[in-house]
Amino acid sequence: MNKLKIFAIALMTFAAGIPASADNDNNDKEEQYEEIDNFDFLYDNEAYDEDYQFSQIDDVLSEAFSHLGARYRMGHSGPNSFDCSGFTSYVFKNMGIDLNRTSRSQYTQGEAVDKDKLRTGDLVFFTGSNSRGPIGHVGIVVDVDPISGSFNFIHASIKGVKVSNSNERYYSRRYVGARRVME
């Protein structure tokens, strides 16, 4: 019985030392690799043209977010209240890009973009709950999750200018398409 106890203690001591010695073996490898502290590697820039102006998209988002919380008013195009297409046309006009005034006519501008190719600054379009056509609402893409395919967008909703997610039931059922008006 004593031999069994000694064997058990020796086994526990040996097993307890394994992780410590394994860590010591990897010390050289730790110096070779930097720890990844974010997921930037998931967002490659292949979808972006080489001459794409990142500062322009920053300016668009900055302008859009400066109106966060502004009231919704049908037929208004800023700067204190907006409807959806009034909001997008106002934001892009301040960046030197003229957009048509209605969401339906904005849907004819720029270049069509597949949902899996969306990028920040693209316009996204939805049917409206009471619209008389295929397009009734528009917003500006804020960011895209490449894993889930969902995106956040800023828009003038009936609750004012806010950010919503494409996976929200209301929007996921009404998504129509996207257009790129900035190159």
Side-chain angles (χ1 to χ4, degrees), residues 154-174:
I154 189 167
H155 60 119
S157 77
I158 59 170
K159 296 179 181 178
V161 175
K162 66 181 218 157
V163 176
S164 297
N165 185 276
S166 63
N167 282 343
E168 292 175 30
R169 187 173 183 201
Y170 182 87
Y171 297 108
S172 67
R173 300 169 88 195
R174 289 177 166 83

Side-chain angles (χ1 to χ4, degrees), residues 115-171:
K115 191 174 182 182
D116 62 341
K117 303 266 192 249
L118 281 176
R119 69 181 185 205
T120 304
D122 288 340
L123 295 174
V124 284
F125 296 87
F126 306 87
T127 61
S129 57
N130 296 324
S131 72
R132 294 185 216 158
I135 306 299
H137 192 64
V138 61
I140 303 167
V141 174
V142 172
D143 60 21
V144 179
D145 181 345
I147 295 172
S148 70
S150 70
F151 56 89
N152 291 313
F153 61 102
I154 189 167
H155 60 119
S157 77
I158 59 170
K159 296 179 181 178
V161 175
K162 66 181 218 157
V163 176
S164 297
N165 185 276
S166 63
N167 282 343
E168 292 175 30
R169 187 173 183 201
Y170 182 87
Y171 297 108

Side-chain angles (χ1 to χ4, degrees), residues 42-85:
L42 292 174
Y43 300 93
D44 65 17
N45 290 330
E46 289 178 10
Y48 295 95
D49 297 333
E50 288 181 30
D51 61 348
Y52 184 72
Q53 299 294 321
F54 288 101
S55 63
Q56 185 180 30
I57 194 62
D58 289 342
D59 292 343
V60 166
L61 290 181
S62 180
E63 178 66 30
F65 276 98
S66 74
H67 300 286
L68 202 60
R71 292 181 58 184
Y72 178 86
R73 281 258 166 101
M74 182 176 264
H76 283 227
S77 55
N80 299 316
S81 57
F82 302 92
D83 65 12
C84 66
S85 58

Side-chain angles (χ1 to χ4, degrees), residues 12-32:
M12 287 190 297
T13 304
F14 176 74
I18 289 176
S21 66
D23 284 345
N24 290 338
D25 292 341
N26 288 333
N27 282 344
D28 294 334
K29 290 181 184 175
E30 286 179 25
E31 292 173 13
Q32 294 175 2

